[in-house]
């Protein structure tokens, strides 16, 4: 293609405008960075300081509130009332009242985590009472001078306080906060007084010391009149002294000593003071000034060099453009129309490439958001509500007519979900599909007003989608709903909730819809007594299929029915039951070739849900018990069946024991024990006791029958024996079992039902 007559002034101007526009992009970005980097820097430091101040405020305000409450409790105590009744002259009763008051103060200081000392000044007697002693007027408060960082002048000022609920910041070794308040006047007592509570200083130090970010900052507690109390150790750079009577405005830069400092302030909710952080403004902003200088140089360099290059390439010949057009048309498969100039052609090609890149960037941003990286440049709407649902493809055999599909099964299902969702969710907002962590993930973005979506509404629509795929397309899906969030940056948490919902398939089985909002109040434990495990092993060794199945399934079903079982506890049951089967098989004489064919461990380990595990266990137990029973003599099995039926009919007889059974069936006790070990996996006495315990479960639910009556009803001669054996088999006493079943099955009156 030749360019004769194609270079028009309009295209030249377009080129020039394009170059200038491209040049303005980095210039604008650099200029924005130049003017905004300081604001971003300040905002980051300010946010960090607000976090530190919020932590300090939460801890110290708790101390101040606790001290105030303790002071109020002391003021209202009877010992203070009696002490205020003293006159100028001290009687023996007055001395005893002062002693009781000192003892009471000792209790508060010993049992309180926040108090160093409590001092009460009593008028008109002039006595000072502390937790350790009382001081008459002639001694005054001299023994306390210098203690707790307080001087004689400090004490004199505190004793003269007349404001209620007053926190004073006194001078001393680094300063100290002290609570002081006049005792409330009593209608029948003429005496007055002042209470002084001295909080422990270590709370003020430790609150700051535990925060690593606070080590480089000067932190103070500033009172309402400008007095300052240092919190924690002062950093090396801070050699100045906080000016008195200063008002510290949040975010200002001030001069303290010879240094500029950045001020962050947060008012206390408990006292008339503020928490103030001073940052070394000069050192912090050295790097900032260097960055700003580099940005300014970059702006000037880009402007000069970019302008020269723009002029050069604008007036250069058309050869590079022709080469570019040919290259683009070849690589992108776009044929250039002769009636469209090169500029429009390249523009269309660029828009097509940008659209493809935006789609890729959108998916990349979604991947990062779901992984918990809260990027601000994600391209999702800033307002509205967001939700996450995950799909797991369980089975598609019926969809393919029983044939194996060799293509990308996930891509096909994503295509089907996309088309279905456009019809169902298209009117409410946008959605995006992607594959992650073996799931198909669907991210929803809903608007507001008529286009809003509630959690319950979305859950119902997903139930309909599940039914559609299951009934119409014969695709078995499990769907987990993670709930809603108000910002794209929270999608990572919502996605984790959806994954947790999918993990709960372990309890519910496959091909289900699980709403994470319903997965609450998980049970914190599961019940699998060691005696039950022992009975399972004995029953399996004896080839008793029904008993073994009843015991194992009873463990699983009882734990599921007792409350919502978490996926973690379900895994524990997986491992414990598998371990029990391993123990039983290892202690049973089975042929190795039979175990290799059966492969019980591999089958159990590959189970993903409890229902699947129960099915595999049923097959394994049936095969093992059939194999064990095939080696038993018919006569022995018949005799065992006859004896066990007799025991089931006569378990209520307290005289039923091993000797009585041996005598009735004309066999020796040794033969009877061997017969039961071969067929039941346990001795006859344990068999009788377990049978009696099982028959006692239902009567125990009836609270109108005492435990002792239940014991005699099932054949136990002693209630103590019954309690001991019940605890052995079930890990709890009969009374505890009765209370547990009552909680699980409350009476209609207890739940508000009619």
């Amino acid at each position: 293609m030749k360019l004769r007559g194609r270079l028009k002034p309009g295209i030249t101007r377009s080129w020039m405008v394009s170059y200038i526009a491209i040049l303005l992009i980095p210039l604008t970005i650099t200029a924005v960075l130049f003017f905004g980097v300081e604001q971003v820097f300040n905002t980051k430091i300010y946010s960090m300081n607000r976090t530190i101040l919020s932590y300090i405020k939460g801890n110290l305000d708790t101390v101040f509130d606790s001290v105030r409450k303790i002071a109020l409790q002391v003021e209202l105590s009877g010992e203070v009332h009696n002490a205020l009744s003293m006159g100028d002259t001290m009687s023996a009763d007055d001395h005893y009242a002062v002693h009781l008051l000192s003892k009471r103060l000792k209790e508060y200081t010993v049992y309180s985590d926040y108090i160093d000392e409590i001092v009460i000044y009593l008028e008109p007697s002039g006595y000072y009472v502390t937790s350790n002693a009382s001081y008459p007027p002639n001694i005054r408060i001299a023994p306390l001078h210098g203690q707790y960082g307080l001087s004689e002048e400090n004490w004199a000022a505190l004793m003269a306080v007349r404001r209620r609920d007053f926190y004073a910041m006194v001078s001393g070794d680094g300063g100290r906060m002290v609570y002081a308040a006049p005792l409330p006047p009593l209608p029948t007592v003429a005496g007055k007084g002042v209470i002084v509570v001295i909080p422990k200083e270590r709370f003020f130090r430790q609150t700051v010391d535990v925060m690593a970010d606070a080590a480089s900052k000067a932190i103070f507690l500033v009172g309402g009149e400008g007095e300052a109390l240092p919190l924690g150790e002062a950093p090396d750079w801070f050699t100045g002294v906080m000016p008195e009577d200063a008002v510290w405005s949040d975010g200002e830069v001030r001069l303290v000593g010879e240094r500029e400092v950045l001020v962050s302030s947060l008012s206390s909710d408990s006292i008339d003071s503020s928490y103030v952080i001073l940052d070394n403004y000069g050192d912090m902003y050295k790097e900032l000034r260097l960055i700003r200088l580099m940005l300014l140089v970059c702006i000037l360099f880009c402007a000069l060099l970019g302008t020269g290059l723009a002029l050069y390439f604008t007036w250069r010949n058309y050869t590079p453009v022709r080469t570019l057009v040919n290259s683009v048309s070849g690589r992108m498969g776009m044929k250039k129309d002769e009636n469209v100039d090169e500029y429009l052609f390249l523009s269309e090609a660029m828009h097509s490439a940008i659209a493809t890149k935006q789609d890729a960037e959108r998916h990349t941003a979604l991947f990062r958001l779901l992984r918990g990286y809260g990027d601000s440049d994600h391209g999702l709407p800033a307002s509205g509500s967001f939700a996450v649902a995950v799909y797991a493809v369980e089975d598609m055999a019926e969809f393919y007519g029983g044939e194996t599909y060799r293509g990308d099964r996930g891509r096909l299902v994503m295509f089907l979900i996309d088309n279905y969702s456009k019809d169902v969710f298209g009117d409410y907002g946008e959605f995006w599909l992607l594959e992650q962590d073996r799931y198909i993930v669907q991210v929803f973005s809903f608007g507001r007003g008529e286009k809003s979506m509630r959690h319950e509404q979305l859950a119902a629509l997903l139930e309909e989608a599940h039914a559609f795929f299951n009934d119409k397309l014969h695709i078995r899906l499990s769907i987990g709903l993670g709930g809603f969030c108000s910002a794209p940056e929270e999608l990572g948490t919502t996605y984790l909730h959806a994954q947790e919902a999918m993990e709960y398939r372990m309890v519910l089985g496959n091909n289900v819809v699980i709403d994470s909002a319903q997965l609450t109040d998980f049970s914190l434990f599961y019940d699998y007594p060691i005696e039950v495990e022992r009975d399972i092993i004995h029953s399996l060794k004896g080839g008793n299929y029904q008993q073994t199945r009843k015991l194992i399934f009873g463990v699983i079903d009882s734990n599921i029915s007792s409350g919502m079982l978490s996926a973690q506890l379900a895994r524990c049951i997986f491992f414990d039951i598998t371990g029990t089967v391993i123990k039983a098989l290892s202690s049973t004489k089975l042929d190795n070739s039979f175990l290799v064919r059966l492969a019980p461990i591999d089958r159990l380990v590959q189970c993903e849900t409890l229902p699947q595990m129960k099915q595999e266990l049923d097959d394994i137990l049936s095969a093992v018990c059939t194999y064990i029973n095939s080696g038993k003599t018919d006569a022995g099995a018949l005799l065992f069946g006859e004896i066990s039926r007799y025991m089931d009919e006569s378990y209520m007889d307290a005289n039923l024991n091993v000797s009585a059974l041996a005598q009735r069936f004309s066999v020796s006790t040794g033969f009877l024990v061997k017969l039961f070990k071969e067929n039941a996996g346990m001795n006859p006495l344990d068999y009788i006791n377990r049978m009696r315990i099982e028959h006692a479960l239902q009567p125990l639910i009836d609270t109108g029958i005492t435990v002792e009556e239940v014991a005699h009803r099932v054949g136990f001669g002693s209630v103590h024996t019954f309690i001991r054996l019940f605890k052995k088999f079930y890990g709890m006493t009969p009374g505890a079992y009765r209370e547990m079943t009552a909680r699980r099955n409350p009476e209609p009156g207890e739940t508000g039902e009619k």
Side-chain angles (χ1 to χ4, degrees), residues 399-424:
F399 176 81
Y400 295 124
E403 297 180 1
T404 302
Y405 177 67
R406 298 183 179 275
D408 190 341
R409 186 173 65 175
R411 292 292 180 181
L412 176 60
V413 176
M414 285 180 65
F415 173 77
L416 297 174
I417 294 175
D418 180 78
N419 283 274
Y420 179 88
S421 300
K422 286 178 180 177
D423 295 335
V424 176

Side-chain angles (χ1 to χ4, degrees), residues 12 159 243 440 600 624 658 670 713 730:
T12 305
M159 295 302 109
I440 298 173
V624 172
V658 178
R713 179 178 294 187
Y730 284 92

Side-chain angles (χ1 to χ4, degrees), residues 237-312:
W237 62 266
F238 185 79
T239 57
V241 179
M242 289 284 283
E244 297 182 357
D245 303 329
V247 178
W248 300 91
S249 300
D250 195 18
E252 69 173 339
V253 178
R254 297 192 55 174
L255 189 66
V256 176
E258 297 181 354
R259 288 185 179 273
E260 286 185 325
V261 296
L262 176 65
V263 181
S264 298
S265 176
L266 185 63
S267 299
S268 171
D269 294 336
S270 180
I271 62 175
D272 183 18
S273 299
S274 298
Y275 301 98
V276 176
I277 289 181
L278 304 183
D279 272 316
N280 189 354
Y281 184 86
D283 290 346
M284 287 191 304
Y285 282 81
K286 285 181 180 178
E287 296 182 0
L288 177 61
R289 294 189 184 99
L290 179 60
I291 294 174
R292 288 169 61 89
L293 179 60
M294 293 176 63
L295 290 175
L296 182 59
V297 172
C298 182
I299 291 175
L300 296 176
F301 179 78
C302 289
L304 294 175
L305 181 62
T307 302
L309 291 176
L311 292 173
Y312 172 75

Side-chain angles (χ1 to χ4, degrees), residues 439-727:
Y439 298 127
I440 298 173
V441 183
Q442 188 170 24
V443 180
F444 298 92
S445 173
F446 301 112
R448 300 184 182 275
E450 296 181 356
K451 293 188 176 182
S452 63
M453 176 78 73
R454 300 187 308 274
H455 183 101
E456 299 80 8
Q457 185 179 2
L458 179 58
L461 291 175
L462 289 177
E463 288 281 356
E464 295 177 5
H466 179 266
F468 172 82
F469 279 88
N470 192 61
D471 300 337
K472 303 297 184 181
L473 301 179
H474 306 292
I475 297 177
R476 309 295 180 244
L477 294 176
S478 289
I479 305 177
L481 175 59
F484 278 69
C485 61
S486 58
E489 291 77 12
E490 300 172 1
L491 284 173
T493 302
T494 306
Y495 175 57
L496 287 178
H497 292 166
Q499 287 182 307
E500 291 173 358
M502 291 298 284
E503 287 184 1
Y504 203 66
R505 289 182 299 164
M506 182 175 295
V507 179
L508 299 180
N510 296 326
N511 195 28
V512 292
V513 178
I514 307 173
D515 187 354
S516 62
Q518 299 175 356
L519 302 182
T520 57
D521 299 327
F522 284 109
S523 175
L524 300 178
F525 61 92
Y526 69 93
D527 187 24
Y528 188 17
I530 190 172
E531 294 296 331
V532 175
E533 182 185 41
R534 189 179 304 164
D535 291 343
I536 292 173
I537 295 174
H538 289 323
S539 298
L540 185 60
K541 287 173 61 178
N544 192 336
Y545 164 73
Q546 293 295 339
Q547 180 68 11
T548 307
R549 184 179 186 275
K550 178 180 178 182
L551 290 172
I552 293 181
F553 285 13
V555 171
I556 298 175
D557 295 339
S558 63
N559 281 287
I560 294 177
S561 62
S562 62
M564 185 169 289
L565 193 66
S566 66
Q568 291 79 3
L569 290 185
R571 291 193 187 95
C572 293
I573 294 180
F574 263 101
F575 292 125
D576 284 352
I577 297 262
T578 303
T580 300
V581 173
I582 293 174
K583 291 179 184 178
L585 294 178
S586 62
S587 61
T588 304
K589 296 180 180 179
L590 298 173
D591 187 68
N592 287 335
S593 60
F594 169 76
L595 289 176
V596 171
R597 292 193 305 272
L598 186 62
I601 307 305
D602 293 339
R603 293 167 63 180
L604 292 178
V605 170
Q606 292 174 3
C607 293
E608 296 182 353
T609 66
L610 285 176
Q612 183 182 359
M613 185 181 192
K614 290 175 66 175
Q615 181 177 355
E616 292 291 340
L617 278 172
D618 198 13
D619 295 341
I620 293 171
L621 295 177
S622 176
V624 172
C625 291
T626 302
Y627 181 88
I628 293 174
N629 291 327
S630 65
K632 297 179 181 178
T633 61
D634 294 338
L638 291 174
L639 179 59
F640 171 76
E642 185 178 351
I643 296 175
S644 61
R645 284 192 295 273
Y646 174 76
M647 294 168 70
D648 190 48
E649 296 171 356
S650 308
Y651 69 90
M652 295 175 289
D653 185 1
N655 296 319
L656 182 64
N657 52 40
V658 178
S659 299
L661 286 171
Q663 184 177 359
R664 176 176 179 81
F665 289 93
S666 302
V667 295
S668 66
T669 57
F671 175 82
L672 191 63
V673 170
K674 181 178 179 182
L675 180 67
F676 267 78
K677 290 221 178 206
E678 290 179 353
N679 290 272
M682 64 183 73
N683 61 55
L685 183 58
D686 286 343
Y687 194 90
I688 296 172
N689 289 333
R690 173 159 288 283
M691 182 179 294
R692 287 170 172 167
I693 293 295
E694 289 180 354
H695 282 87
L697 296 179
Q698 186 60 37
L700 280 174
I701 300 176
D702 185 1
T703 56
I705 305 175
T706 65
V707 174
E708 186 174 3
E709 291 175 349
V710 173
H712 292 305
R713 179 178 294 187
V714 297
F716 284 103
S718 169
V719 68
H720 300 293
T721 303
F722 172 60
I723 294 173
R724 177 176 58 81
L725 292 174
F726 194 96
K727 189 173 182 181

